[in-house]
Amino acid sequence: MIRKARKSDFEAVYPILSQIFDEMDMDTINRLPESQFYDLIRLGFISENYRYSYNRIWVETDENDRVRGMICMYPDKAQGIIDVVLRKEMAKVGLPMTTDIFTDKEAQKGEWYIDALAVSPRDWGKGIASRLMELAPKLAKKHGYKKVSLNVDLENPRAQQLYLRKGFKTTNSMTIGDRVYDHMVKEV
């Protein structure tokens, strides 16, 4: 079942989402102690507007409501606030308010953006990512968008193949953090 994430889902969502953080291998994340980063992302998750807020995440669960996969999406217009809202939480985890973690604008104008898509390793190969992706065009249309976009790591051919099968096309490359990604778009 696919449902909107709840604040109480953080403990289940974080290990799934952290696979992406590990793959990104960003200096801005790596320089923080793991517990400090975890606490910061937790505060962001339970907030209303952060990049990885429960408000921007949908999850697929099994029959026991165990989270098996997640997708995080938002409109391009949200990029102005998705990371700024975390500033007030920095002091709560012992970081200066000037700390930057995610600074790159990842969506282009007029795009409904898939920021993160990940599945628990024990549930890989069960079509979960594919089902979660089907939600993106529906939400994009509902919010008046005609394009859905995402960025895929050049070192993740498995994900790239899924996105191609789902109708996404590479439009350009962009650097996010310390890595180069293909920016892929699907017209809806």
Side-chain angles (χ1 to χ4, degrees), residues 34 38 41 71 137 177:
E34 190 173 332
Y38 174 90
I41 296 299
I71 188 168

Side-chain angles (χ1 to χ4, degrees), residues 5 21 25 34 70 76-77 108 116 145 157 161 163 166 174:
F21 301 144
D25 194 31
E34 190 173 332
M70 55 78 57
D76 67 314
K77 295 179 224 169
Q108 296 175 3
Y145 283 81
Q161 288 305 309
Y163 305 149
K166 288 291 186 179
M174 67 172 45

